[in-house]
Amino acid sequence: MPTGVALRDVRQQLFDAADRVLRRAGAAGLTSRAVTAEAGVAKGVLHRHFADFDDFLAALVEDRVAALPHTVVARAGTATVVTNLTGALTAIFSPVALHIVALIIARDELRTRLRRHRPTGIPLLTEAAAVLASYLKAEQTEGRLAPQADPDTLALTLIGTGHLVFAGHEDTPPGPAEVEKLVTSVLAGAV
């Protein structure tokens, strides 16, 4: 690797490299060496910006949580509830997000570090459920979700079912029709 070359936005460069490695090799293939090789930097660059690999992974998870599609809440009252949730679930369960969930489940030290700021649930999935619950509450306010519906439970059901459906498709995510069917089934009687 060349020395003396200034790197710009190293954290983002490493996160983007991790995404590419996850897409190509999955959670099992994500190593510090794979990330730095993909980013085209020396291995020491990662350790200069993060205490260790689990620190890097925790920061990657936090970055992906921040990237959740919060804009779905602003869509309340537009399109249809099913259409909005279909789009949100498809965005939430990207291939990279599915690999990150697998990584969280598989790495005890990563979970321990994430628990410092996120004491319950599975990070990424828990936050995604909160986003969907906020959206459903906004739709309830708009009168497009039944007053007796429980947005929090519906959101958890959508996330749990969505995770099982998307994770079961490996490299080919389910098509829009399948996701729409899932959303329609979960919301039966609530819309």
Side-chain angles (χ1 to χ4, degrees), residues 67-90:
L68 283 170
H70 296 278
T71 56
V72 71
V73 178
R75 295 194 48 82
T78 67
T80 68
V81 175
V82 171
T83 298
N84 291 337
L85 287 170
T86 298
L89 284 176
T90 301

PDB file of all heavy atoms in Angstrom, residues 67-90:
ATOM      1  N   ALA A  67     -29.410   4.995   8.738  1.00  0.00           N
ATOM      2  CA  ALA A  67     -29.830   5.017   7.335  1.00  0.00           C
ATOM      3  C   ALA A  67     -31.207   4.394   7.114  1.00  0.00           C
ATOM      4  O   ALA A  67     -31.658   4.298   5.969  1.00  0.00           O
ATOM      5  CB  ALA A  67     -28.790   4.292   6.486  1.00  0.00           C
ATOM      6  N   LEU A  68     -31.885   3.969   8.171  1.00  0.00           N
ATOM      7  CA  LEU A  68     -33.220   3.385   8.009  1.00  0.00           C
ATOM      8  C   LEU A  68     -34.151   4.384   7.318  1.00  0.00           C
ATOM      9  O   LEU A  68     -33.993   5.599   7.479  1.00  0.00           O
ATOM     10  CB  LEU A  68     -33.796   2.978   9.371  1.00  0.00           C
ATOM     11  CG  LEU A  68     -33.232   1.704   9.959  1.00  0.00           C
ATOM     12  CD1 LEU A  68     -33.681   1.531  11.407  1.00  0.00           C
ATOM     13  CD2 LEU A  68     -33.632   0.484   9.139  1.00  0.00           C
ATOM     14  N   PRO A  69     -35.142   3.885   6.588  1.00  0.00           N
ATOM     15  CA  PRO A  69     -36.019   4.778   5.820  1.00  0.00           C
ATOM     16  C   PRO A  69     -37.036   5.524   6.690  1.00  0.00           C
ATOM     17  O   PRO A  69     -38.233   5.255   6.670  1.00  0.00           O
ATOM     18  CB  PRO A  69     -36.712   3.820   4.842  1.00  0.00           C
ATOM     19  CG  PRO A  69     -36.742   2.518   5.565  1.00  0.00           C
ATOM     20  CD  PRO A  69     -35.464   2.476   6.371  1.00  0.00           C
ATOM     21  N   HIS A  70     -36.544   6.490   7.469  1.00  0.00           N
ATOM     22  CA  HIS A  70     -37.418   7.287   8.335  1.00  0.00           C
ATOM     23  C   HIS A  70     -38.425   8.101   7.528  1.00  0.00           C
ATOM     24  O   HIS A  70     -39.434   8.537   8.054  1.00  0.00           O
ATOM     25  CB  HIS A  70     -36.580   8.217   9.228  1.00  0.00           C
ATOM     26  CG  HIS A  70     -35.701   7.471  10.180  1.00  0.00           C
ATOM     27  ND1 HIS A  70     -36.163   6.970  11.363  1.00  0.00           N
ATOM     28  CD2 HIS A  70     -34.388   7.132  10.113  1.00  0.00           C
ATOM     29  CE1 HIS A  70     -35.177   6.352  11.991  1.00  0.00           C
ATOM     30  NE2 HIS A  70     -34.092   6.436  11.249  1.00  0.00           N
ATOM     31  N   THR A  71     -38.138   8.313   6.256  1.00  0.00           N
ATOM     32  CA  THR A  71     -39.021   9.121   5.423  1.00  0.00           C
ATOM     33  C   THR A  71     -40.387   8.487   5.225  1.00  0.00           C
ATOM     34  O   THR A  71     -41.319   9.168   4.814  1.00  0.00           O
ATOM     35  CB  THR A  71     -38.378   9.384   4.048  1.00  0.00           C
ATOM     36  OG1 THR A  71     -38.048   8.122   3.459  1.00  0.00           O
ATOM     37  CG2 THR A  71     -37.126  10.242   4.179  1.00  0.00           C
ATOM     38  N   VAL A  72     -40.524   7.201   5.520  1.00  0.00           N
ATOM     39  CA  VAL A  72     -41.833   6.558   5.361  1.00  0.00           C
ATOM     40  C   VAL A  72     -42.879   7.243   6.240  1.00  0.00           C
ATOM     41  O   VAL A  72     -44.051   7.317   5.874  1.00  0.00           O
ATOM     42  CB  VAL A  72     -41.767   5.031   5.638  1.00  0.00           C
ATOM     43  CG1 VAL A  72     -41.551   4.735   7.112  1.00  0.00           C
ATOM     44  CG2 VAL A  72     -43.049   4.350   5.168  1.00  0.00           C
ATOM     45  N   VAL A  73     -42.471   7.785   7.379  1.00  0.00           N
ATOM     46  CA  VAL A  73     -43.418   8.460   8.274  1.00  0.00           C
ATOM     47  C   VAL A  73     -44.052   9.652   7.559  1.00  0.00           C
ATOM     48  O   VAL A  73     -45.254   9.901   7.680  1.00  0.00           O
ATOM     49  CB  VAL A  73     -42.741   8.886   9.590  1.00  0.00           C
ATOM     50  CG1 VAL A  73     -43.712   9.618  10.499  1.00  0.00           C
ATOM     51  CG2 VAL A  73     -42.158   7.666  10.314  1.00  0.00           C
ATOM     52  N   ALA A  74     -43.277  10.367   6.778  1.00  0.00           N
ATOM     53  CA  ALA A  74     -43.787  11.528   6.046  1.00  0.00           C
ATOM     54  C   ALA A  74     -44.747  11.126   4.930  1.00  0.00           C
ATOM     55  O   ALA A  74     -45.473  11.971   4.416  1.00  0.00           O
ATOM     56  CB  ALA A  74     -42.623  12.333   5.474  1.00  0.00           C
ATOM     57  N   ARG A  75     -44.754   9.856   4.572  1.00  0.00           N
ATOM     58  CA  ARG A  75     -45.644   9.386   3.505  1.00  0.00           C
ATOM     59  C   ARG A  75     -47.061   9.100   4.008  1.00  0.00           C
ATOM     60  O   ARG A  75     -47.943   8.773   3.213  1.00  0.00           O
ATOM     61  CB  ARG A  75     -45.054   8.153   2.836  1.00  0.00           C
ATOM     62  CG  ARG A  75     -43.731   8.481   2.115  1.00  0.00           C
ATOM     63  CD  ARG A  75     -43.266   7.400   1.174  1.00  0.00           C
ATOM     64  NE  ARG A  75     -44.257   6.896   0.276  1.00  0.00           N
ATOM     65  CZ  ARG A  75     -44.633   7.456  -0.877  1.00  0.00           C
ATOM     66  NH1 ARG A  75     -44.093   8.589  -1.254  1.00  0.00           N
ATOM     67  NH2 ARG A  75     -45.536   6.893  -1.643  1.00  0.00           N
ATOM     68  N   ALA A  76     -47.290   9.234   5.287  1.00  0.00           N
ATOM     69  CA  ALA A  76     -48.644   9.000   5.830  1.00  0.00           C
ATOM     70  C   ALA A  76     -49.642   9.876   5.098  1.00  0.00           C
ATOM     71  O   ALA A  76     -49.411  11.064   4.885  1.00  0.00           O
ATOM     72  CB  ALA A  76     -48.672   9.281   7.320  1.00  0.00           C
ATOM     73  N   GLY A  77     -50.735   9.260   4.683  1.00  0.00           N
ATOM     74  CA  GLY A  77     -51.771   9.990   3.966  1.00  0.00           C
ATOM     75  C   GLY A  77     -51.562  10.022   2.466  1.00  0.00           C
ATOM     76  O   GLY A  77     -52.395  10.557   1.740  1.00  0.00           O
ATOM     77  N   THR A  78     -50.446   9.474   1.977  1.00  0.00           N
ATOM     78  CA  THR A  78     -50.185   9.436   0.537  1.00  0.00           C
ATOM     79  C   THR A  78     -50.204   7.988   0.078  1.00  0.00           C
ATOM     80  O   THR A  78     -50.083   7.066   0.888  1.00  0.00           O
ATOM     81  CB  THR A  78     -48.814  10.054   0.200  1.00  0.00           C
ATOM     82  OG1 THR A  78     -47.783   9.213   0.729  1.00  0.00           O
ATOM     83  CG2 THR A  78     -48.685  11.458   0.752  1.00  0.00           C
ATOM     84  N   ALA A  79     -50.307   7.776  -1.226  1.00  0.00           N
ATOM     85  CA  ALA A  79     -50.362   6.433  -1.811  1.00  0.00           C
ATOM     86  C   ALA A  79     -51.324   5.572  -0.991  1.00  0.00           C
ATOM     87  O   ALA A  79     -52.355   6.057  -0.538  1.00  0.00           O
ATOM     88  CB  ALA A  79     -48.973   5.826  -1.914  1.00  0.00           C
ATOM     89  N   THR A  80     -50.995   4.310  -0.775  1.00  0.00           N
ATOM     90  CA  THR A  80     -51.796   3.474   0.119  1.00  0.00           C
ATOM     91  C   THR A  80     -50.902   3.002   1.249  1.00  0.00           C
ATOM     92  O   THR A  80     -49.670   2.993   1.105  1.00  0.00           O
ATOM     93  CB  THR A  80     -52.379   2.227  -0.602  1.00  0.00           C
ATOM     94  OG1 THR A  80     -51.291   1.345  -0.941  1.00  0.00           O
ATOM     95  CG2 THR A  80     -53.168   2.617  -1.851  1.00  0.00           C
ATOM     96  N   VAL A  81     -51.503   2.607   2.337  1.00  0.00           N
ATOM     97  CA  VAL A  81     -50.739   2.108   3.472  1.00  0.00           C
ATOM     98  C   VAL A  81     -49.931   0.890   3.043  1.00  0.00           C
ATOM     99  O   VAL A  81     -48.740   0.768   3.365  1.00  0.00           O
ATOM    100  CB  VAL A  81     -51.673   1.779   4.662  1.00  0.00           C
ATOM    101  CG1 VAL A  81     -50.889   1.143   5.804  1.00  0.00           C
ATOM    102  CG2 VAL A  81     -52.412   3.027   5.130  1.00  0.00           C
ATOM    103  N   VAL A  82     -50.553  -0.001   2.287  1.00  0.00           N
ATOM    104  CA  VAL A  82     -49.868  -1.224   1.825  1.00  0.00           C
ATOM    105  C   VAL A  82     -48.693  -0.866   0.932  1.00  0.00           C
ATOM    106  O   VAL A  82     -47.594  -1.412   1.086  1.00  0.00           O
ATOM    107  CB  VAL A  82     -50.865  -2.170   1.121  1.00  0.00           C
ATOM    108  CG1 VAL A  82     -50.136  -3.322   0.439  1.00  0.00           C
ATOM    109  CG2 VAL A  82     -51.885  -2.710   2.126  1.00  0.00           C
ATOM    110  N   THR A  83     -48.874   0.061   0.013  1.00  0.00           N
ATOM    111  CA  THR A  83     -47.790   0.475  -0.888  1.00  0.00           C
ATOM    112  C   THR A  83     -46.632   1.073  -0.100  1.00  0.00           C
ATOM    113  O   THR A  83     -45.461   0.739  -0.342  1.00  0.00           O
ATOM    114  CB  THR A  83     -48.307   1.491  -1.924  1.00  0.00           C
ATOM    115  OG1 THR A  83     -49.318   0.843  -2.704  1.00  0.00           O
ATOM    116  CG2 THR A  83     -47.199   1.991  -2.825  1.00  0.00           C
ATOM    117  N   ASN A  84     -46.945   1.946   0.836  1.00  0.00           N
ATOM    118  CA  ASN A  84     -45.892   2.583   1.634  1.00  0.00           C
ATOM    119  C   ASN A  84     -45.123   1.563   2.465  1.00  0.00           C
ATOM    120  O   ASN A  84     -43.893   1.622   2.555  1.00  0.00           O
ATOM    121  CB  ASN A  84     -46.490   3.665   2.535  1.00  0.00           C
ATOM    122  CG  ASN A  84     -46.994   4.859   1.746  1.00  0.00           C
ATOM    123  OD1 ASN A  84     -46.560   5.101   0.625  1.00  0.00           O
ATOM    124  ND2 ASN A  84     -47.923   5.591   2.322  1.00  0.00           N
ATOM    125  N   LEU A  85     -45.832   0.628   3.075  1.00  0.00           N
ATOM    126  CA  LEU A  85     -45.157  -0.385   3.899  1.00  0.00           C
ATOM    127  C   LEU A  85     -44.379  -1.381   3.047  1.00  0.00           C
ATOM    128  O   LEU A  85     -43.306  -1.845   3.453  1.00  0.00           O
ATOM    129  CB  LEU A  85     -46.167  -1.110   4.787  1.00  0.00           C
ATOM    130  CG  LEU A  85     -46.699  -0.279   5.954  1.00  0.00           C
ATOM    131  CD1 LEU A  85     -47.873  -0.973   6.631  1.00  0.00           C
ATOM    132  CD2 LEU A  85     -45.591   0.004   6.968  1.00  0.00           C
ATOM    133  N   THR A  86     -44.887  -1.694   1.870  1.00  0.00           N
ATOM    134  CA  THR A  86     -44.156  -2.582   0.957  1.00  0.00           C
ATOM    135  C   THR A  86     -42.811  -1.960   0.595  1.00  0.00           C
ATOM    136  O   THR A  86     -41.769  -2.620   0.648  1.00  0.00           O
ATOM    137  CB  THR A  86     -44.991  -2.865  -0.306  1.00  0.00           C
ATOM    138  OG1 THR A  86     -46.198  -3.543   0.085  1.00  0.00           O
ATOM    139  CG2 THR A  86     -44.226  -3.714  -1.305  1.00  0.00           C
ATOM    140  N   GLY A  87     -42.830  -0.674   0.265  1.00  0.00           N
ATOM    141  CA  GLY A  87     -41.579   0.025  -0.052  1.00  0.00           C
ATOM    142  C   GLY A  87     -40.647   0.105   1.137  1.00  0.00           C
ATOM    143  O   GLY A  87     -39.434  -0.083   1.002  1.00  0.00           O
ATOM    144  N   ALA A  88     -41.211   0.383   2.314  1.00  0.00           N
ATOM    145  CA  ALA A  88     -40.381   0.492   3.522  1.00  0.00           C
ATOM    146  C   ALA A  88     -39.730  -0.847   3.863  1.00  0.00           C
ATOM    147  O   ALA A  88     -38.533  -0.893   4.172  1.00  0.00           O
ATOM    148  CB  ALA A  88     -41.218   0.994   4.697  1.00  0.00           C
ATOM    149  N   LEU A  89     -40.484  -1.934   3.812  1.00  0.00           N
ATOM    150  CA  LEU A  89     -39.912  -3.253   4.122  1.00  0.00           C
ATOM    151  C   LEU A  89     -38.823  -3.631   3.127  1.00  0.00           C
ATOM    152  O   LEU A  89     -37.787  -4.181   3.512  1.00  0.00           O
ATOM    153  CB  LEU A  89     -40.996  -4.328   4.148  1.00  0.00           C
ATOM    154  CG  LEU A  89     -41.891  -4.348   5.370  1.00  0.00           C
ATOM    155  CD1 LEU A  89     -42.987  -5.397   5.215  1.00  0.00           C
ATOM    156  CD2 LEU A  89     -41.102  -4.612   6.645  1.00  0.00           C
ATOM    157  N   THR A  90     -39.040  -3.320   1.864  1.00  0.00           N
ATOM    158  CA  THR A  90     -38.031  -3.630   0.845  1.00  0.00           C
ATOM    159  C   THR A  90     -36.747  -2.846   1.119  1.00  0.00           C
ATOM    160  O   THR A  90     -35.638  -3.382   0.978  1.00  0.00           O
ATOM    161  CB  THR A  90     -38.590  -3.331  -0.557  1.00  0.00           C
ATOM    162  OG1 THR A  90     -39.771  -4.128  -0.753  1.00  0.00           O
ATOM    163  CG2 THR A  90     -37.579  -3.652  -1.639  1.00  0.00           C
TER     164      THR A  90
END
